[in-house]
Amino acid sequence: MPLQIPDPVLGAWTKGFPAHASGMRLSEVPGADLHLSDLVTPVLTVHESALAHNESTVFGWAASHGVLLAPHGKTTMAPALWQRLLDAGAWGISVATPWQAEVAVDAGVSTVLIANAVTDTAAAHHLADLLAADAELRILCWADSVATVEILAGALAGATRPLDVLVEMGGAGGRTGARTIEEGERIARSILASPGLRLAGVTGYEGPFGPDRSDASVEAVDAYLQTLVALHERLAYPGGVRPVLSAGGSSFPDRAAAILAPHRDDADIVLRSGAFQIHDDGFYSRMSPFGPLTSTAPLRSAMHAWSRVVSQPEQGLALLDAGRRDVPFDLDLPIPQSVDGEITALNDQHAFLSLAPGASVAPGDVVRLGLSHPCTAFDKWRVVAIIDDPDATDPRVLGAVATCF
């Protein structure tokens, strides 16, 4: 399914790209003979072979377990990267907000899963308009209360096509979601009683129940996932509806598959893991099961930042030109990979690099940084360069992708 890929004209707004690229269209970058040394620090890059490796690893694993993937598009908000996921066999693209859903629909995604409750009446009206305008489009969203169903029902009253709604299960200590199966059943009955809505399945997010991969966390995640199955088995779906049973952040897709996949004969098992395409050198490198736990190759970080030394004001300390405006810091600080040391703090436009004994850098040197959490890396960049090999002396720029944040 070919998407509409943004093809902006590069200019001063394109952080990281050189002045001589100004006036070039994004689609012309592959033929421009650019290298990493042509880019302006700080700059974020994506590594082509790691992307391909991660995609083939996870889609192959999913196929072997009989589960479908609707990767979370909010991770990158880059239609060109969504295209790769769809080409690999994605069932659809997940998003987190009605606005993100509109971006996906505008790009041409035909199955959009809003992994959230929609309680904005104007947004719900717009979903109805999108469905009316395209008979091939499918939009699904969540509801975790009767009040949410009532908002959706009011907005979709008289709609020409129904909005698919999944009942969201939560649990004590979780995020959103009905706290009991009985409440989930009440929500389902409310959806069934609303002409503009269609009961389409059960969903939830297991991440809050497992802060790590300890036995206790896995046990808590499994127990929560069993509640999704329990509710699913108690619901009577409308005729002609093949329900969706969905879970799966990027930390526990293996557990979601283990608990939900046995029910694939009577439901589409849809996992929403999104970070796997990019992966990282921090949080997901610690949490992802891919590798020994799934009998697959481990995933590889496909993103790096490159930052230049701008000051060395005292022995053992260097200041880099990447800061909070450029690199993620919500889960872990960046990790120096080309010099022995540690990033100890970030300002808006500076990183504090504490050098290990014997390590040295000089003003003008470029330091490669490993990053943690792709969701908060991409939102800082409107265009991201794709390179061939981050370990090369001067990696080639193979292309670039535009984000829609």
Side-chain angles (χ1 to χ4, degrees):
M1 164 175 38
L3 299 185
Q4 297 295 317
I5 306 299
D7 191 21
V9 175
L10 305 186
W13 64 273
T14 319
K15 183 170 68 171
F17 278 77
H20 69 262
S22 184
M24 182 187 301
R25 284 206 170 270
L26 193 70
S27 58
E28 295 173 324
V29 171
D33 193 29
L34 293 174
H35 289 75
L36 181 66
S37 60
D38 294 308
L39 304 183
V40 181
T41 60
V43 64
L44 178 72
T45 63
V46 170
H47 176 194
E48 165 61 34
S49 65
L51 279 177
H53 167 80
N54 295 344
E55 292 157 356
S56 65
T57 297
V58 176
F59 276 95
W61 168 84
S64 71
H65 286 74
V67 300
L68 304 169
L69 296 177
H72 233 315
K74 71 166 176 67
T75 300
T76 64
M77 286 302 294
L81 295 178
W82 297 350
Q83 182 73 73
R84 296 175 64 111
L85 296 168
L86 294 169
D87 289 346
W91 175 87
I93 296 293
S94 293
V95 295
T97 69
W99 170 75
Q100 292 173 0
E102 185 175 359
V103 172
V105 172
D106 188 60
V109 179
S110 60
T111 299
V112 180
L113 172 58
I114 304 175
N116 211 340
V118 176
T119 58
D120 182 323
T121 299
H125 276 298
H126 188 51
L127 296 181
D129 293 341
L130 292 173
L131 289 167
D134 184 353
E136 302 301 316
L137 175 64
R138 187 181 187 190
I139 300 176
L140 307 91
C141 69
W142 298 4
D144 70 349
S145 71
V146 170
T148 297
V149 175
E150 290 172 348
I151 292 170
L152 292 172
L156 274 292
T160 57
R161 297 180 59 215
L163 175 67
D164 284 337
V165 183
L166 309 180
V167 179
E168 181 193 0
M169 281 298 299
R175 195 167 65 184
T176 52
R179 281 349 197 203
T180 67
I181 292 173
E182 290 72 25
E183 178 62 18
E185 290 181 292
R186 284 192 289 273
I187 296 165
R189 289 195 294 271
S190 180
I191 297 168
L192 287 167
S194 302
L197 308 179
R198 179 167 57 189
L199 178 63
V202 174
T203 189
Y205 173 49
E206 72 280 3
F209 301 97
D212 50 38
R213 291 292 307 197
S214 67
D215 290 345
S217 288
V218 171
E219 183 178 346
V221 165
D222 285 0
Y224 164 72
L225 292 167
Q226 291 288 2
T227 68
L228 304 186
V229 173
L231 176 60
H232 165 68
E233 292 180 330
R234 291 170 70 165
L235 298 184
Y237 296 98
V241 170
R242 179 171 171 81
V244 170
L245 188 54
S246 177
S250 293
S251 297
F252 296 98
D254 57 324
R255 301 317 307 156
I259 303 300
L260 304 185
H263 304 274
R264 59 184 175 269
D265 288 346
D266 62 354
D268 284 338
I269 310 303
V270 177
L271 307 188
R272 306 183 306 275
S273 311
F276 74 83
Q277 185 182 33
I278 303 298
H279 198 53
D280 69 11
D281 284 305
F283 178 76
Y284 288 113
S285 70
R286 299 189 298 270
M287 291 293 292
S288 173
F290 291 100
L293 288 177
T294 54
S295 299
T296 66
L299 303 184
R300 292 156 42 194
S301 178
M303 65 176 180
H304 301 91
W306 308 81
S307 184
R308 196 175 303 273
V309 178
V310 294
S311 176
Q312 197 167 13
E314 59 189 65
Q315 186 68 29
L317 173 66
L319 277 297
L320 310 182
D321 63 0
R324 295 184 181 193
R325 306 288 179 96
D326 312 299
V327 293
F329 57 93
D330 55 320
L331 294 179
D332 302 285
L333 291 173
I335 305 160
Q337 295 182 326
S338 57
V339 64
D340 193 6
E342 178 185 6
I343 301 297
T344 58
L346 294 177
N347 292 160
D348 285 351
Q349 307 288 179
H350 293 92
F352 289 72
L353 170 59
S354 176
L355 293 163
S360 65
V361 293
D365 288 351
V366 174
V367 177
R368 184 174 109 180
L369 299 173
L371 305 176
S372 181
H373 202 193
C375 294
T376 52
F378 276 73
D379 65 355
K380 297 170 175 58
W381 296 85
R382 296 169 70 183
V383 173
V384 179
I386 300 176
I387 62 173
D388 61 347
D389 180 3
D391 295 320
T393 302
D394 192 10
R396 290 187 304 120
V397 177
L398 302 178
V401 298
T403 66
C404 299
F405 284 101

